[in-house]
Amino acid sequence: MRLVQGYADTGNAHAFVPPFTIENAMEPKVPFVFNSPHSGRNYRVDFVNSSRLDQREIRSSEDAFVDHLYKDAVSLGAPFIAANFPRVYLDVNREPYELDPKMFEGKLPSYVNTRSLRVAGGLGTIARIVNDNKEIYRHRIPMEEGMERIETLYRPYHMAVRSTLARVRQLYGAAILIDCHSMPSTTHANGNMVKTDFILGDRFGSSCDPAITERATEILETMGFSVSRNLPYAGGFITEHYGRPDRNVHALQIEINRGLYMDEKTLTPKPHFSAVRRSLGLFVRELTRLDAGELGAHPLAAE
């Protein structure tokens, strides 16, 4: 399989990049799991060739460099999961089968969710558009290809997330998933420009103990960042699906403003990228000091 990595051809027809990486899964040192589902930048050449978009456009939905920004979590002993495939190829922050039938050659299975708002907006499990409503594909995708992406990428990814959270909860009595994302600096909510450095999404308090959101907010604001909550990003499928405070599993989505660390036109890091990464390293260090016992975790029950 030939790959285009960050849209720079590897030149190696036999290059192998695993679908995702996972670190510290078996021996977590803290009750936190960090997840970067949208920072993948290895593009299959056949996918690139099937697209009508140019280099910058096809990468415009990528949470570029987010996996690097939070990498200090690994040295602190937190499990860290990161997709290597791009979200524009397959989005694991969706239901497994949110698909637009108009995108595919052949009839989709009856269990596919073709009526979700995300599908209607062109942003299903296999997206139809990128930012600015630009169509991705030149032609329809064979139905079998779409199903293969889900079976070979989506399912293994979520199996890794589930098993890692289960392992952490087994060891610490609670597991806290931090879902790491980035947002355009031109983000809008309710027709107004959002001028904030971070947006924390906890599904309006339903996906994690309030102490986690409060602590994350306090740390970031003490460091001089501006923080808002839930609007316009309350958390996607991952936050909603895995956040089960009643089962001692908490999920918090964190969106960082891309303008803080990268040039959004050239998709390159800004000169002060390292400083932002150091700040996030300090943030991770402080957040992971949160004691799971402070969350009011309940004794584990048979499920």
Side-chain angles (χ1 to χ4, degrees), residues 184-194 231-233:
S185 59
T186 53
T187 295
H188 291 75
N190 299 325
N192 299 314
M193 180 77 76
V194 176
L231 293 174
Y233 305 114

Side-chain angles (χ1 to χ4, degrees), residues 10 14 17 40 44 59 79 106 128 132 144 148 152 165 185 197 199 206 226 237 249 256 275 280 288:
T10 65
H14 303 289
V17 177
R44 289 178 54 135
R59 295 189 63 198
R128 176 174 54 82
D132 300 324
E144 295 80 7
E148 181 183 20
T152 60
L165 288 171
S185 59
D197 298 325
I199 297 177
S206 67
S226 58
F237 173 80
V249 179
I256 181 173
L280 281 175
T288 54

